[in-house]
Amino acid sequence: MGGDHAPTEIVSGAARAVREMDVEVIITGLRPDLTAELKKHGFHDSTIRLVDAIEVVKDGENAIIAAMRKPNSSMAIATKLVKDGKADAVVSAGSTGAFMVNAYQHLGCLPGIERPIVGGAFLKLAPNTFMLDMGANVGCQASDLLKFAVAGSVFVRKFHGIENPTVGLLNVGAEEGKGTEVVKEAYCLLKESGLNFIGNVEGMDIPGGKANVIVCDGFVGNILLKYSEGMAKGINHFLSEELAVMLPQPAVESVTSKLMKQISTPDTTGGGPIWGINGVAIVCHGASRADHIAAAISEAKLAVESDFVGTLRVELEKALKGTPG
Amino acid sequence: MGGDHAPTEIVSGAARAVREMDVEVIITGLRPDLTAELKKHGFHDSTIRLVDAIEVVKDGENAIIAAMRKPNSSMAIATKLVKDGKADAVVSAGSTGAFMVNAYQHLGCLPGIERPIVGGAFLKLAPNTFMLDMGANVGCQASDLLKFAVAGSVFVRKFHGIENPTVGLLNVGAEEGKGTEVVKEAYCLLKESGLNFIGNVEGMDIPGGKANVIVCDGFVGNILLKYSEGMAKGINHFLSEELAVMLPQPAVESVTSKLMKQISTPDTTGGGPIWGINGVAIVCHGASRADHIAAAISEAKLAVESDFVGTLRVELEKALKGTPG
């Protein structure tokens, strides 16, 4: 029930996943709404199981209060299915904050992690660059940034086959000694971490793909993510008008849609895992369409099958041994 | 002598300004280099005056150390010309940090301002939206963000004729209570400020032009600025290749160059004033070309002629009366 286009696009994405992947999907939410959507895709609730969730967390609600006061929200019920061993992973396009609180509350964190992490690929322009955190952690300490770097490195190695992933610290200059006190301290921790730390990276190094893993406070990551979305929208509008007088409409649409893909979060990810949670929880953008939901379900499947959470637990313990925080 | 394309593009921009505007330019730096560049434009150093500056602040130097140890850098000598009443304004494309320290050291700040501010228009897509700070202030307090809002409002009103400019606080969500502790506190200060505060704005609201003045920590502003530059480069590359098979080369170049303008800092500003300084100091991007330098000189002229600094002094005193910080 969460996301700008729920439940229509959510159900549509789930239907696609069931059709195209070897995956079983349970949808939680308001049964009459979900049944009506499923019918559009020729599914009955014997194929895709429905589980009642009578509350909905709305955008704008305080995340912690929503998670506390709405134990029967669709995201809470879905998360509890994982806790109870009835599902292997949970995917949501609802409020990132509330989902994070739910995941934290019901599944808990891995040892050494106090707060879960949201990250993932950022731009198709730089397909081998992964950013974390993208909004779950606002107001980070240096040790948080180190944890992001460890989690990102494990993810890139496991999921993308890059053996010794490079790690960059997002900053306002390339030189050591730049940035806020937190970032300066993080630089020192990363230097000593045993990770493949290449130093500070700057804003242009994100589309430039300078590092495989770029770490930043979720405040910065979230603003960058939404800024990209707004830029894409503005560029699409401008370019469509410019090209309309030069090219036939199908060609205009082909060019603009290819460009939009380049400057959006890659479709192959759909969303991002909430890293650090003791279970697989994938958070999608609020604006997710069916494509993104299906991709996020595929990502959840990969995470389960490769025992990402178990591996991350081991690697975090190893890397954080002896470091502060 | 500062900037990626110094002194060639700097001198070229100065030559253009002298030719096209009613303005007198003094260039500081290494005389033989400057004389050679001036000759290319048919100028002798009687038309554009040269003042010797035998040191150059290099990118990557610590700003404070550079400003202390290089009292004869081109930016220091240029700033001292303003201090001594021999020039009305100073323009530099050198290291922003070092320039800021120089301006602070030689010209001082306006009452109520402890640290100078870098701001200006951000995207041509949103021509009436001005961002501050863009990198001079890293690790801000709430009261700093309030000062940015006051300075931005005065600038937009004076320079862009917008009578009651809207002010937005860059954050990770629209609702009150989002963000870091500093941002939450700034929200309260802005609400009580008497400014036309419209609340939090998010990343997509920058290209969306949701507010006339958007305030953020320079850490975020600088990363966004450089991210935009990197995105523009990536988009230009991708789009040029895509369109090359569909359109003749001149048409490709026309479309891409128009798009690049939309997603770059508007040419009309060239750079941004260091606000809060007791004098007119315009900082340009390191990558500035002649166009940008000429535009920055034009901006300096406008600032001098409209007594921007005097007006800002009065408005800051008025707005900050009774507020903390």
Side-chain angles (χ1 to χ4, degrees), chain A residues 6-222:
Chain A
T8 307
E9 295 286 329
I10 312 296
V11 173
S12 174
R16 176 176 301 191
V18 167
R19 244 188 251 107
E20 295 176 5
M21 308 164 205
D22 178 24
V23 70
E24 203 179 313
V25 175
I26 307 167
I27 308 183
T28 59
L30 302 171
R31 189 176 293 266
D33 297 23
L34 297 178
T35 306
E37 292 297 333
L38 275 178
K39 269 192 190 145
K40 291 185 194 169
H41 300 279
F43 281 99
H44 301 282
D45 62 5
S46 57
T47 332
I48 290 187
R49 244 181 76 212
L50 299 182
V51 170
D52 286 307
I54 54 169
E55 291 163 329
V56 175
V57 174
K58 295 202 183 73
D59 198 37
E61 281 189 82
N62 177 288
I64 293 168
I65 293 172
M68 301 287 278
R69 295 207 183 144
K70 293 187 173 172
N72 297 310
S73 71
S74 52
M75 63 169 69
I77 297 287
T79 308
K80 280 187 271 190
L81 290 174
V82 176
K83 184 190 179 188
D84 298 341
K86 292 177 183 162
D88 294 310
V90 52
V91 173
S92 172
S95 153
T96 302
F99 187 40
M100 198 192 79
V101 175
N102 262 298
Y104 180 80
Q105 186 184 0
H106 298 304
L107 304 175
C109 276
L110 293 173
I113 297 283
E114 296 101 45
R115 294 190 296 182
I117 309 160
V118 172
F122 201 73
L123 290 170
K124 204 176 166 190
L125 264 182
N128 293 318
T129 294
F130 299 82
M131 293 267 292
L132 49 175
D133 182 278
M134 290 200 205
N137 288 267
V138 165
C140 290
Q141 299 304 307
S143 58
D144 295 321
L145 296 173
L146 172 62
K147 288 165 196 171
F148 301 169
V150 173
S153 295
V154 171
F155 177 76
V156 169
R157 205 169 64 234
K158 278 283 274 190
F159 279 60
H160 295 271
I162 297 167
E163 219 12 79
N164 193 20
T166 50
V167 175
L169 175 65
L170 191 59
N171 205 337
V172 294
E175 316 81 45
E176 186 170 354
K178 283 271 185 176
T180 60
E181 290 311 312
V182 166
V183 164
K184 284 181 209 169
E185 197 191 322
Y187 191 102
C188 298
L189 292 181
L190 285 164
K191 218 165 61 170
E192 302 297 322
S193 67
L195 297 169
N196 189 8
F197 179 53
I198 61 164
N200 292 327
V201 296
E202 301 180 79
M204 64 282 206
D205 299 326
I206 303 169
K210 195 167 177 182
N212 297 125
V213 176
I214 295 182
V215 296
C216 61
D217 192 306
F219 187 81
V220 178
N222 185 268

Side-chain angles (χ1 to χ4, degrees), chain B residues 179-237:
Chain B
T180 60
E181 291 311 312
V182 166
V183 163
K184 285 182 207 170
E185 196 191 322
Y187 191 102
C188 297
L189 291 181
L190 286 164
K191 219 164 61 169
E192 303 296 322
S193 67
L195 297 170
N196 188 8
F197 179 53
I198 61 164
N200 292 328
V201 296
E202 301 181 78
M204 64 282 205
D205 298 326
I206 303 168
K210 195 166 176 183
N212 298 125
V213 176
I214 294 181
V215 296
C216 60
D217 192 306
F219 187 81
V220 178
N222 186 267
I223 287 171
L224 279 169
L225 189 71
K226 289 175 180 166
Y227 178 68
S228 299
E229 287 170 14
M231 282 282 274
K233 208 172 147 187
I235 289 168
N236 195 19
H237 182 75

